[in-house]
């Protein structure tokens, strides 16, 4: 199941994102979207987990969770 993670702090690293979701199960991939010109985070990412139950648990646990000053949003990617 592919997840869209939004409202991430611009300072968050892909490693931090990966660690956040690894707590809920195995990841197929994790990609923090970066600005091509600056190399800085655009504030959103995609995470894919092959186990749907683990992905749903990750959505439940991480959606609305405060990270830094912002509440991140996690949902199934369309």
């Amino acid at each position: 199941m592919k997840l869209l993670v939004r409202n991430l702090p611009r300072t968050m690293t892909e490693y931090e994102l990966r660690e956040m979701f690894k707590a809920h199960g195995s990841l197929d991939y994790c990609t923090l979207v970066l600005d091509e010109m600056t190399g800085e985070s655009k504030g959103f990412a995609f995470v894919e987990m092959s186990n749907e139950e683990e992905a749903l648990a990750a959505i439940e646990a991480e959606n609305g969770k405060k990270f830094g000053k912002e509440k991140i949003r996690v949902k199934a990617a369309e």
Side-chain angles (χ1 to χ4, degrees):
M1 175 179 242
K2 190 171 185 179
L3 307 178
L4 171 62
V5 186
R6 301 185 333 174
N7 214 30
L8 293 170
R10 305 287 175 159
T11 57
M12 183 178 228
T13 65
E14 192 168 301
Y15 175 79
E16 291 171 316
L17 181 69
R18 186 176 304 277
E19 291 300 307
M20 180 187 304
F21 282 89
K22 271 181 22 180
H24 305 289
S26 60
L27 304 180
D28 292 340
Y29 76 84
C30 172
T31 303
L32 184 63
V33 179
L34 303 176
D35 182 281
E36 290 180 17
M37 299 291 283
T38 65
E40 295 178 2
S41 168
K42 286 189 167 187
F44 70 98
F46 293 99
V47 174
E48 187 158 351
M49 304 175 81
S50 55
N51 184 308
E52 189 171 334
E53 288 178 13
E54 292 174 350
L56 293 172
I59 291 171
E60 181 71 28
E62 300 300 336
N63 187 45
K65 187 176 186 180
K66 200 158 187 171
F67 193 93
K69 296 179 182 179
E70 303 294 332
K71 285 185 181 180
I72 63 171
R73 294 182 299 207
V74 184
K75 67 177 191 170
E78 298 175 9

